[in-house]
Amino acid sequence: MSSKRRPDPGATERQRRHYPGFDGTVRTTFAASEPSWPERPSPPAGAPNVIVMLADDLGFSDLECYGSEIETPNLNALAQRGFRLTDFHSTPLCGPSRAALLTGLNPHEAGCGYINIADPGFPGYAAELPDDALSAAEIFRANGYATFALGKWHLTKESDLNAGGSNRSWPLRRGFDRFYGFLDGFTNAHAPHSLMSDNHVVEVDAYDDSYYLTDDLTSQGIAMIRELKSANPHKPFFMYYAHAAVHAPLHAKSAEIERHRGRYDDGWDVVRERRFARQVDMGVVPPHTRLSDRNAEPGLSVQPWTELTRAQQLRYSRYMETYAAMVSSIDDSVGQLMATLDELGIADETIIVFCSDNGGAKTGGTDGTDQYLETVLHYLGIDEDHHEADDEVALDAIGGPSTMPCYPTGWAMVSNTPYRLYKAHTHAGGHAVPFIMSGPMVREPGVLRRQYTHIADVLPSLVDEIGLELPAHREGVPARSMSGISFAPILRNPIAPATRQEQYYEIGGHRGIYRDGWEAVTLHRPDVAFSAEAWELFDVEADPAQTRDLASSHPERLAELVAAWEDLAWRNRVFPMDEGSGVMRRLGPPGNSTFSEPLEITGGTPTLERWRSRQLIEQRDFSIAVSFRHECGDAGVLLAHGGQGGGYILYVEDGFVLYGHNAYGRVTIHRGPRVSDGDHRVRLDAVVPAPGRWELTLALDDHAWVEQLTTTMIGPGVAPLEGIDVGIDRRSPVLQSLRDRYGAFPYSGTVRWARYEPGPRTPDWGADALDRARQIGLQFE
C-alpha cells in the first residue's frame, strides 16, 4: 500500500489565495511541502570591489602627479596602475558635486544646485536628493554589494541634521549599509563636532591629543573591509570615502606640518610657475597652454608675493605648509587602503576612483585667517580688529587644535594652476580637478586620457563597465534615468573619442557652458542683472587656461552657446537663480519656526545639534537661564555653546561663577560673584544693538554682575560650530585654558536645566527683511 498522500484539490486554490507570490508548494506538513526561497541580489560574475574617494577643495595642481611639489607617492602609484584624466570637471561647489557623483545626474536635477545652508523651496535647490533619484549605493546594493560610506555627507537639509528632523536623506536611508563620518559640510579635524556611526551620534566628551580625523576615517573604513571579507570573502563592496581634507579649517598633525616647513617661503608666484612647468613637462596640460595671469578681478585679486611684508610672508607660508600636510594625509590614507587590499589579496580585483569636488577655495580672503568661522563677518560688513601680538603668539600653533585656519586666495590660485579663479566660480579654476582611476579593466596603464569628462559621468561609467542592473523603481517611485554619460570606452583605449560634448555649469548666478571645445562663462556680480552680464568666450582646445576672451570676434558662436545654456538650464531645473539680493538664503519652510520656540534642556542631555542650537540665538535677542545646586567645593561647566572657533560658556571655578566669551579666538572672561551653598539660577540676556554685536547682561539669582556688555556676536552662518552642552563642555572647548586644566570639566554638583527663550529676529533678518530683499532682487528680473 502506498504511503503517498492523495492531492487535496482545494490546497492549490488556498495557496494561491493565502500565499501570493510563493513559488513552492504548501501542504499541512513540512514533509509533504516543497520549499522555495526568494532570490537574493547577486553581483555579476567577477564583479570588482569599488572605492570612490573624493577629496574636498583639492585643486587641479595639488597632487604630485598633477605638478605639485607635495609628494603623493601612493596616488602616483595609483595613477601608474591606472590612468589620469587631464580634462575632468566637477561642479564648482561641494554639495552639488556630491549629488552628481552619487546619482549620475546634473546637480540641479539632483535637487542640489547649491549647498544645504539654503532651502528656498524650489526643485533644483531642495538640499537633498529627490525621491526618484537612485543613489550609487542603492544601485550597488541592489546588485548584491555591501555598501559603505565614510567622511563628509553634506546631502541633508540643515534642518534635518538634528535628532528631531527627518533622516530620510541620511546615508543609511540612501542605500548605505554602514556610515562613519559627519553630515555637515565641514568639521574640526582635531575635534569633530558631530561624528556619526550609522544613524547615531558618537558620544565623545574630549578627544585624545593625538586624534586626527583622516586617520580615524581610514581606520574605520579598513575595519569595514576586513569585517566583510572575513565574513564573506566573495561578496564585493562599494565604498564611498569623502575626505574632510583639504576643506578649511586647515588642520594637520604637527609632525606632518613640520615636514613641509620652509617649502613655501618663495611665495605663491614662484610656486605657481614651478607647478606649471612640471605640468607641461609631464603632459597634464598641453604644451601650448599659456599660464593664466595672476587673478585680478575686483574682490578676487592676488597681491604679488614680493609686495608683502616679511611678517605676511611668514604667516601665509605657514598656512600653506598646513594645507600641504593635509594633502599628505590624504595620500597616506590612500596608501593604507591599498596596503589593506594587497594584504587581503583583492587589490587586483578592486576599482579605485579618486577626484575632488571642486577647485581650491577663496574663502580665506586676501590675508587668510586663523579663525575660519570668522570669515562670515565680512558678509555683514564688520571689520573686527586683529591684535598683532595675539597673531604672533599663534603663528606656531597654525594647523593645531587651537586655531581654525584658512589659507589666502594666493594659495588657492596656486592650487588651481594653470586655471583662473576659484571654487564657486564657473571659470575652470572652480571645476577643473584631478581624476585618477585604476582597476582590472584598465588597458595601457599610466597613459594619460585627455577626453572632456564630468563628475556626473562617473556612476554611469561604473554601471556600464561592471554590468550592473539599474532598479526600475526607488521605494515604489519610477526611477529617473541618469543624465551622465559613460566614459567606459576610454578605460581600454586612451584615445577613444570623448563621449561627452556638452555640459552646463551654474553656482550662485555664475554661469558656464562647454560645447565641442568651446566654453562660455560669466562672473556674476550681485548688483548686475543677469541679462546685462557680459559673457566671456574661450577656445579651450587652443587656450585651456581661458586667457584670451574671443567674445567680440566670435559673436555668433557666443550667442549659440548662451542660448544652449538657457535651454539646458530650464531642462535641468537651474531656475530660479540667486540674484544676490539675499532672498534665497532667507527663504525656508514654514515648519522650521518650531525650532525658534523656547526650549528647556535638562542636565545629562547629549549635545544639542549645532543647527538646532543656533536657531535659539541667531540674529535675535535671547535669554538663557540655568538652574543648578551648589555645595562647597563644586566646580565645572554649567552651560557651553561652541568651541575653539567661537562660543560662550558659563562655569563655576574656585567658588565663583564666570562667563567666558570666545569671539573667534579672542577670549574674554568675566568673573561674577562667589556662589553660596544651595540652589541658584544664573541668567544671560542678550540684545542685538547692531549687526554683528551682542549686548550682554549676566546675573546670579537676579543680581547682575555684568550689565550691557557689548561684544562680538557668535554667528550667523555656521557658528557656533559646536552645539549646546548642559553641565559639561564636550569635544572642542570654548576655552582652551579650561580644557587644559580640567578636561571636559563636568559640573560636580547638579545642573537641573538650561532654558532658552528666543526673541524675535532682528530687523535685518525677519519677515520685513525678506520683503526688502525681494524688492531689491526684483529689479534684476
Side-chain angles (χ1 to χ4, degrees):
M1 181 176 177
S2 172
S3 62
K4 187 174 181 180
R5 182 177 174 180
R6 299 167 75 184
D8 180 353
T12 301
E13 177 57 33
R14 287 195 294 270
Q15 178 176 329
R16 276 198 300 266
R17 188 164 65 247
H18 299 296
Y19 294 74
F22 180 65
D23 293 333
T25 303
V26 180
R27 298 291 182 265
T28 56
T29 65
F30 277 100
S33 303
E34 294 293 332
S36 176
W37 288 268
E39 186 176 353
R40 290 191 174 190
S42 59
N49 308 299
V50 178
I51 299 174
V52 175
M53 184 175 284
L54 187 67
D56 198 342
D57 290 0
L58 184 83
F60 180 79
S61 76
D62 280 333
L63 304 181
E64 187 178 11
C65 54
Y66 277 83
S68 178
E69 68 292 333
I70 305 168
E71 296 89 355
T72 52
N74 297 300
L75 284 162
N76 298 349
L78 192 68
Q80 286 304 306
R81 292 167 60 167
F83 64 87
R84 288 163 288 168
L85 285 170
T86 64
D87 203 5
F88 179 82
H89 299 263
S90 61
T91 82
L93 205 57
C94 42
S97 287
R98 288 154 211 281
L101 176 65
L102 287 176
T103 64
L105 298 170
N106 281 318
H108 299 81
E109 187 185 13
C112 297
Y114 195 66
I115 52 177
N116 68 344
I117 61 171
D119 183 10
F122 294 91
Y125 305 91
E128 63 182 9
L129 304 180
D131 291 339
D132 62 351
L134 291 164
S135 75
E138 289 162 340
I139 293 169
F140 276 93
R141 187 159 71 178
N143 283 269
Y145 275 69
T147 53
F148 308 137
L150 296 161
K152 172 175 168 176
W153 180 241
H154 209 203
L155 292 172
T156 301
K157 296 175 187 287
E158 275 199 312
S159 56
D160 283 338
L161 297 176
N162 64 86
S166 169
N167 66 3
R168 65 191 300 273
S169 195
W170 291 18
L172 267 60
R173 290 286 298 275
R174 295 302 313 206
F176 287 101
D177 301 324
R178 298 290 313 281
F179 171 62
Y180 186 84
F182 56 99
L183 299 176
D184 265 308
F186 67 89
T187 193
N188 181 327
H190 292 299
H193 67 286
S194 187
L195 273 178
M196 303 284 295
S197 178
D198 299 328
N199 266 359
H200 65 273
V201 176
V202 177
E203 295 299 335
V204 178
D205 286 350
Y207 291 93
D208 237 31
D209 289 345
S210 62
Y211 180 88
Y212 189 61
L213 178 59
T214 304
D215 294 343
D216 188 12
L217 295 175
T218 304
S219 296
Q220 292 287 336
I222 289 171
M224 291 176 189
I225 294 172
R226 290 188 184 279
E227 183 180 38
L228 171 69
K229 291 301 183 178
S230 63
N232 185 351
H234 304 292
K235 186 165 187 170
F237 64 85
F238 168 71
M239 174 178 284
Y240 169 57
Y241 185 167
H243 277 278
V246 288
H247 195 296
L250 304 183
H251 284 151
K253 293 177 283 189
S254 57
E256 194 63 49
I257 297 172
E258 188 62 35
R259 193 163 70 85
H260 295 277
R261 189 74 76 214
R263 172 167 275 173
Y264 297 99
D265 291 354
D266 289 337
W268 46 58
D269 294 315
V270 171
V271 173
R272 186 172 185 244
E273 290 169 359
R274 289 171 180 164
R275 286 194 180 189
F276 179 63
R278 284 190 291 268
Q279 289 176 331
V280 173
D281 287 345
M282 64 177 57
V284 294
V285 298
H288 60 266
T289 303
R290 178 184 172 220
L291 178 63
S292 61
D293 293 336
R294 188 186 298 109
N295 293 329
E297 291 79 0
L300 305 170
S301 62
V302 174
Q303 190 174 1
W305 185 262
T306 55
E307 294 181 4
L308 302 176
T309 67
R310 178 58 187 151
Q312 287 175 314
Q313 291 176 347
L314 182 60
R315 174 165 291 277
Y316 299 171
S317 295
R318 290 293 174 90
Y319 290 134
M320 190 59 189
E321 291 163 5
T322 304
Y323 182 89
M326 294 180 80
V327 175
S328 296
S329 77
I330 293 175
D331 188 71
D332 290 344
S333 171
V334 172
Q336 292 174 51
L337 283 168
M338 291 174 68
T340 301
L341 300 178
D342 283 331
E343 179 190 340
L344 297 176
I346 57 175
D348 291 337
E349 55 197 63
T350 301
I351 295 173
I352 302 178
V353 172
F354 179 93
C355 64
S356 178
D357 60 351
N358 47 248
K362 66 183 185 301
T363 323
T366 303
D367 300 320
T369 180
D370 293 341
Q371 290 295 337
Y372 175 63
L373 301 184
E374 187 181 22
T375 58
V376 75
L377 294 178
H378 299 303
Y379 297 113
L380 297 176
I382 298 168
D383 186 16
E384 286 293 315
D385 291 331
H386 289 266
H387 303 295
E388 197 65 33
D390 293 342
D391 286 348
E392 291 302 319
V393 170
L395 188 62
D396 288 337
I398 289 174
S402 63
T403 62
M404 302 282 279
C406 187
Y407 67 8
T409 49
W411 293 122
M413 180 183 68
V414 171
S415 290
N416 300 331
T417 305
Y419 302 114
R420 291 174 56 196
L421 299 183
Y422 317 99
K423 169 185 177 178
H425 292 134
T426 49
H427 286 72
H431 53 81
V433 295
F435 180 96
I436 302 171
M437 186 173 187
S438 73
M441 70 295 172
V442 175
R443 300 293 178 265
E444 299 188 52
V447 177
L448 296 171
R449 271 69 165 170
R450 303 188 182 281
Q451 297 85 345
Y452 183 93
T453 43
H454 187 261
I455 197 166
D457 303 333
V458 175
L459 179 57
S461 302
L462 292 171
V463 168
D464 186 9
E465 177 59 33
I466 299 170
L468 303 178
E469 294 184 10
L470 294 176
H473 294 81
R474 182 186 177 274
E475 296 186 351
V477 178
R480 188 181 308 191
S481 298
M482 290 187 284
S483 52
I485 304 168
S486 170
F487 55 73
I490 72 173
L491 305 182
R492 292 177 173 78
N493 181 3
I495 59 172
T499 54
R500 176 180 287 279
Q501 283 75 44
E502 182 179 71
Q503 179 61 40
Y504 84 91
Y505 298 90
E506 190 280 334
I507 287 292
H510 304 300
R511 293 165 285 169
I513 180 171
Y514 168 88
R515 178 187 277 182
D516 295 330
W518 288 80
E519 193 152 9
V521 292
T522 71
L523 181 64
H524 178 57
R525 298 293 182 182
D527 56 351
V528 178
F530 292 117
S531 59
E533 221 152 39
W535 286 77
E536 296 175 275
L537 177 68
F538 303 101
D539 176 356
V540 291
E541 290 188 357
D543 179 24
Q546 300 174 329
T547 65
R548 295 182 291 275
D549 181 9
L550 304 177
S552 60
S553 57
H554 292 76
E556 292 181 358
R557 185 182 292 275
L558 178 61
E560 175 189 324
L561 287 175
V562 172
W565 182 91
E566 180 103 1
D567 178 60
L568 289 169
W570 281 109
R571 283 161 48 190
N572 285 280
R573 303 180 176 181
V574 172
F575 295 113
M577 290 188 294
D578 181 9
E579 71 282 351
S581 65
V583 170
M584 179 186 180
R585 295 192 186 187
R586 283 177 166 84
L587 292 171
N592 283 358
S593 59
T594 300
F595 299 121
S596 296
E597 296 174 357
L599 182 70
E600 180 175 295
I601 309 169
T602 56
T605 300
T607 307
L608 188 66
E609 184 272 330
R610 65 114 189 136
W611 181 90
R612 178 68 182 89
S613 297
R614 202 180 76 221
Q615 303 315 299
L616 301 170
I617 68 168
E618 184 177 53
Q619 298 286 23
R620 63 186 351 137
D621 300 346
F622 62 93
S623 296
I624 309 169
V626 182
S627 173
F628 66 103
R629 180 167 184 80
H630 182 81
E631 302 292 344
C632 182
D634 282 339
V637 173
L638 302 175
L639 175 110
H641 185 187
Q644 282 294 284
Y648 55 93
I649 185 171
L650 289 162
Y651 61 103
V652 175
E653 184 182 25
D654 296 332
F656 293 90
V657 62
L658 298 99
Y659 172 77
H661 192 83
N662 182 337
Y664 306 103
R666 294 178 291 280
V667 171
T668 55
I669 296 174
H670 302 271
R671 193 174 82 165
R674 182 174 291 279
V675 184
S676 60
D677 290 358
D679 295 331
H680 296 279
R681 188 172 299 185
V682 63
R683 186 175 179 89
L684 183 157
D685 293 303
V687 174
V688 182
R693 293 286 185 265
W694 279 341
E695 190 177 85
L696 303 180
T697 297
L698 296 153
L700 179 66
D701 300 327
D702 298 324
H703 299 290
W705 87 81
V706 170
E707 294 188 85
Q708 297 181 327
L709 169 71
T710 299
T711 188
T712 301
M713 176 191 292
I714 310 302
V718 293
L721 184 58
E722 300 271 349
I724 296 168
D725 283 319
V726 176
I728 193 171
D729 185 11
R730 300 183 178 98
R731 304 178 181 88
S732 178
V734 176
L735 299 182
Q736 186 63 48
S737 58
L738 276 187
R739 177 60 55 85
D740 292 342
R741 294 198 297 274
Y742 305 115
F745 205 18
Y747 185 63
S748 57
T750 300
V751 180
R752 296 188 179 89
W753 46 255
R755 289 179 183 155
Y756 277 78
E757 296 181 17
R761 295 283 191 186
T762 56
D764 59 342
W765 199 255
D768 290 344
L770 174 58
D771 291 339
R772 291 194 299 272
R774 195 184 297 278
Q775 291 305 312
I776 293 170
L778 283 173
Q779 65 183 302
F780 302 119
E781 174 63 27

